[in-house]
Amino acid sequence: MTPAPVIIAIDGRSGAGKTTLAIELAAQLRNHHKVALFHLEDIYPGWNGLTAGIERYVSTVLTPLSRAEPATWTSWDWDRHYDGDTRVTLPAEIVIIEGVGAAAADARPMLSAVIWADAPDDIRRKRALDRDGGTYEPFWDQWAAQENAWLAADDVRRQADIRVRNNADGSATADVMQALVYLPALGPALVPELAARRGLRLRAERLVARPDAAVLFENLFGGSANAVWLDSSNAGIANADTERNRFSILADNGGTYGQAVTHRSGESVITAGSATARVPGPFFRWLDTVWGRRAVRTPEGYPGDFTLGWLGCLGYELKRETGGTDVAAPTPDAALIFAGRAVVLDHVEGTAWLLALEAPDADGWLADARAAVAGSASTTGSGAQSTHPGGSNVVVRSVGSAFSSRDTERSYLAKIEAAQYEIHEGNSYEVCLTTTLTARLPAAAAAPWPTYLALRRKNPAPFASYLRFGGLTVASTSPERFLRITSDGGMRAEPIKGTRRRGADPERDRQLREDLAASLKDRAENIMIVDLLRNDLSHFAEPGSVTVSRLCEIESYATVHQMVSTIDGQLLPGAPRAEAVAACFPAGSMTGAPKISTMAILDRLEEGPRGLYSGAIGYFSLNGATDLAVAIRTLITTAQPGGNGGEQGATAELTLGIGGAITADSVPGEEYDEIRVKAHGVLSALGADFPTA
């Protein structure tokens, strides 16, 4: 029995470039597959025949082809305005059908994928008339009215798996090819194309340089809509951990391979240039299809574990996939870019590595990157603490009392007592309760870039980061590693539990540090999370490999002392790396223990989503490595355009999540003081006050 073909429909209004796209796509796919191509214009019965043509196509062409049978159909003779000859279209491994109505409602159940091609109206009309000359022009309005009537009842665009804005610049076919491989229905048929995506060639250049990272990021990626800076902003500071602070990564999603993905409530939307693909299903399942298998070789002499790949953030609400309940958030559940080019700064060796996947535009970008590194010389020795011209050394425009809290002091204290009741009832041992501070400001008063520069100078941290996804910006000064998996399978988690503010003078500072080190309550909190993470890592670790190499040690940062532990393990050979991340998500230090029952308690107590706060920020590298920080001390800025989508009256919403671990021994007043301490590093950089109401 002949297997049913993969059938791809390319639909869209007249002049959207469907025919050219179909021909070029078929040519590419024919490198590895037998491909049949069908054009609906051959079957429409005249200029009034859109509806009838769709019916003919579905019954005489699509139905037999979907059963792997030859399709016998009657063509239309456009010169005689009558039925033409009888033709036969043979089934093939892949069938591409293009034309207005190719993905009509009656056709969709038989299709493997739907591509909707779109273009501006002026381009569509010119393209259609250039192709068909004067024969089409008298009927343009008549045909357009039929399209409008059909689409009013059948919104194909909304149902499409891939949407492509086909601007006749030659990019659409390559972008669609990148998007097609993400569709689960096409995966088995596109094995050669998937294999090519995993056999990429990485180019690398080593420059002896210590550029100012902020200046370099602005010079290279300041104009990029989507860009990521994983910023070891305390590199070069005395007593900083060399392993955690060694590398900074700067990247965007420009160039041949650049892509972006956002995930919301069970659907991933992947953008590759002009094409956008919708993929239903869990995020971690999607991540497993694009990451975890070695796709590049590590360059000779390169000391880092990031060899290009996906960078960005995961939101707390992905817990719906790991045992938590389904809660919707206003921000994406995940936002990542795929970087086919990046600069990696090695703060130990004083070098800048330029990484780029082999592509037609690689030479040009490498030249630009070399010039940018040379033009971003640091005046501080490490480049970590300098400030970009126009940024602020300490505080951006003061926002005073603009922040409000989801909880008043009284309501937060009541929630602490409710959490302790759950602990007393045996439903949890530790509840990591959080709340959210929110401010809405004029856009000019909340510019994300100078805000981040102020944050990193005020509160340098090993896992600081600046992420821009269009109108969404993440500015983090996180000190906490969530999970690292090296390319050879080494696993590490470094939870933080236990916090004290820094003292104003050395003696008071020493006393606070010693108080934290001696606190039985804080040690108990930390050890409970260590036990939880030992269990999380063990799901995919080699038996006996999970160890605690550091327990309850004190680390000091600009505004706080923290109690930190380290858990190590070795990933089982062949284990799915995305599932290993999911087994640990969200970070136990942000939930409490046991994790699943405590997350349910938190859903009831917190009365709202956390969003990106207490999720994770980092990378998923093409060599199978990942390094993720816990999204704490993290300011989220969401741009809100003004009237008519312009800058006039534009505002920005700022959110800052804060929280702390509640145990049976917690003193509610002290726990409330702790969240004020944790908020201080971010609020003070903004010149903002902790809300009193």
Side-chain angles (χ1 to χ4, degrees):
M1 180 178 177
T2 304
V6 168
I7 303 179
I8 302 170
I10 302 178
D11 209 331
R13 294 177 180 271
S14 290
K18 301 181 296 299
T19 302
T20 301
L21 177 59
I23 292 170
E24 293 178 350
L25 190 62
Q28 288 204 22
L29 290 171
R30 283 183 179 128
N31 290 328
H32 302 288
H33 311 276
K34 293 183 178 179
V35 179
L37 182 57
F38 180 81
H39 304 281
L40 261 72
E41 68 178 359
D42 293 335
I43 203 172
Y44 299 128
W47 293 109
N48 285 315
L50 176 58
T51 300
I54 292 173
E55 292 174 354
R56 283 191 178 193
Y57 143 67
V58 171
S59 62
T60 65
V61 177
L62 183 58
T63 298
L65 287 178
S66 68
R67 298 195 295 251
E69 298 171 355
T72 302
W73 50 279
T74 302
S75 67
W76 181 256
D77 188 326
W78 289 93
D79 293 327
R80 295 175 54 243
H81 299 287
Y82 201 73
D83 284 343
D85 56 353
T86 299
R87 302 182 188 178
V88 176
T89 299
L90 298 176
E93 181 187 358
I94 296 175
V95 176
I96 298 176
I97 299 170
E98 70 83 16
V100 182
D106 289 343
R108 287 198 291 272
M110 292 176 275
L111 301 175
S112 307
V114 172
I115 299 170
W116 175 266
D118 209 347
D121 288 347
D122 56 337
I123 290 179
R124 288 196 304 106
R125 182 183 178 93
K126 182 178 187 305
R127 187 154 44 192
L129 298 184
D130 285 348
R131 183 191 65 200
D132 293 330
T135 58
Y136 192 176
E137 188 166 13
F139 303 100
W140 174 266
D141 292 335
Q142 179 181 341
W143 188 262
Q146 293 175 81
E147 292 179 355
N148 291 337
W150 165 59
L151 290 170
D154 186 358
D155 192 350
V156 178
R157 182 180 184 276
R158 183 180 294 273
Q159 301 296 324
D161 301 292
I162 295 173
R163 301 173 189 169
V164 58
R165 188 167 180 82
N166 192 356
N167 291 325
D169 59 2
S171 65
T173 304
D175 294 340
V176 168
M177 278 298 300
Q178 284 205 82
L180 278 175
V181 297
Y182 291 119
L183 302 183
L186 270 59
L190 300 184
V191 169
E193 287 76 15
L194 283 166
R197 194 176 68 184
R198 294 171 184 149
L200 303 170
R201 180 168 176 257
L202 176 61
R203 297 176 60 178
E205 294 185 16
R206 179 181 183 271
L207 306 177
V208 178
R210 292 186 182 272
D212 183 304
V215 175
L216 179 59
F217 182 82
E218 181 73 349
N219 287 345
L220 269 179
F221 306 122
S224 302
N226 302 317
V228 171
W229 176 15
L230 302 182
D231 172 24
S232 296
S233 63
N234 67 337
I237 295 177
N239 301 319
D241 185 300
T242 301
E243 181 268 324
R244 276 185 280 172
N245 297 277
R246 180 168 180 175
F247 300 104
S248 293
I249 301 169
L250 302 80
D252 73 352
N253 67 326
T256 298
Y257 290 100
Q259 298 167 60
V261 61
T262 56
H263 182 93
R264 294 178 185 269
S265 299
E267 182 179 75
S268 297
V269 177
I270 306 103
T271 300
S274 60
T276 300
R278 296 166 49 249
V279 180
F283 170 79
F284 286 108
R285 185 179 301 167
W286 174 84
L287 182 63
D288 186 58
T289 67
V290 300
W291 171 73
R293 299 162 184 83
R294 193 182 301 271
V296 298
R297 294 182 179 179
T298 302
E300 184 176 352
Y302 176 62
D305 226 1
F306 174 73
T307 55
L308 301 178
W310 297 92
L311 308 98
C313 51
L314 314 183
Y316 176 75
E317 271 65 47
L318 282 177
K319 67 183 174 65
R320 72 170 64 85
E321 300 180 19
T322 62
T325 55
D326 187 359
V327 177
T331 50
D333 297 328
L336 302 171
I337 63 169
F338 182 86
R341 57 199 196 183
V343 178
V344 178
L345 303 181
D346 184 342
H347 301 295
V348 171
E349 291 189 354
T351 56
W353 285 84
L354 313 183
L355 307 180
L357 294 177
E358 185 62 76
D361 55 359
D363 286 334
W365 183 83
L366 288 168
D368 291 343
R370 274 185 232 111
V373 170
S376 306
S378 171
T379 59
T380 65
S382 72
Q385 297 299 309
S386 62
T387 303
H388 184 268
S392 170
N393 283 342
V394 182
V395 180
V396 294
R397 185 181 302 181
S398 175
V399 300
S401 58
F403 279 91
S404 60
S405 176
R406 178 185 290 170
D407 296 288
T408 64
E409 180 176 359
R410 178 178 295 179
S411 67
Y412 194 76
L413 293 174
K415 290 180 179 182
I416 293 172
E417 293 176 356
Q420 289 180 310
Y421 174 79
E422 297 286 354
I423 294 169
H424 176 75
E425 291 294 301
N427 299 324
S428 181
Y429 302 113
E430 180 178 352
V431 179
C432 296
L433 183 67
T434 77
T435 190
T436 301
L437 308 184
T438 305
R440 186 176 294 276
L441 303 170
W449 178 240
T451 297
Y452 176 65
L453 295 179
L455 285 175
R456 76 188 293 262
R457 190 161 185 86
K458 185 80 173 179
N459 189 28
F463 296 107
S465 57
Y466 179 77
L467 297 80
R468 183 171 60 238
F469 303 101
L472 174 69
T473 307
V474 180
S476 178
T477 56
S478 174
E480 182 176 357
R481 170 176 276 148
F482 162 46
L483 179 66
R484 178 186 182 187
I485 303 176
T486 61
S487 57
D488 61 2
M491 306 172 75
R492 171 167 287 186
E494 295 183 284
I496 290 176
K497 268 287 159 268
T499 304
R500 295 291 186 277
R501 64 179 175 85
R502 296 298 301 267
D505 62 80
E507 178 59 24
R508 180 55 180 157
D509 192 57
R510 181 187 62 79
Q511 291 173 356
L512 289 165
R513 181 184 173 100
E514 291 178 353
D515 176 70
L516 177 58
S519 170
L520 295 179
K521 170 187 172 292
D522 288 297
R523 288 182 67 88
E525 289 180 11
N526 196 292
I527 290 170
M528 276 189 268
I529 299 306
V530 168
D531 285 342
L532 173 61
L533 285 174
R534 287 173 64 235
N535 178 69
D536 286 350
L537 263 63
S538 70
H539 289 295
F540 290 94
E542 290 191 14
S545 70
V546 177
T547 59
V548 179
S549 55
R550 250 190 350 157
L551 186 64
C552 298
E553 292 194 4
I554 308 303
E555 295 182 356
S556 298
Y557 296 93
T559 59
V560 292
H561 300 294
Q562 306 265 212
M563 183 177 285
V564 187
S565 294
T566 301
I567 307 100
D568 290 309
Q570 182 65 36
L571 189 70
L572 277 168
R577 296 190 172 213
E579 292 303 319
V581 174
C584 300
F585 190 89
S589 60
M590 300 306 297
T591 61
K595 184 182 286 187
I596 292 176
S597 61
T598 304
M599 286 193 294
I601 293 169
L602 290 167
D603 284 343
R604 296 195 298 272
L605 293 181
E606 293 180 352
E607 302 176 302
R610 294 186 183 182
L612 297 175
Y613 166 62
S614 71
I617 298 172
Y619 68 74
F620 301 96
S621 174
L622 286 173
N623 61 359
T626 184
D627 203 356
L628 301 167
V630 181
I632 55 176
R633 321 288 197 273
T634 298
L635 184 71
I636 311 298
T637 303
T638 306
Q640 309 284 341
N644 298 318
E647 295 183 6
Q648 185 88 20
T651 60
E653 182 178 81
L654 279 60
T655 60
L656 175 66
I658 46 174
I662 311 302
T663 66
D665 296 331
S666 292
V667 176
E670 293 177 359
E671 295 293 345
Y672 190 72
D673 288 342
E674 182 174 321
I675 68 170
R676 294 172 62 94
V677 168
K678 289 177 176 177
H680 176 72
V682 174
L683 294 181
S684 61
L686 294 169
D689 304 320
F690 193 94
T692 56

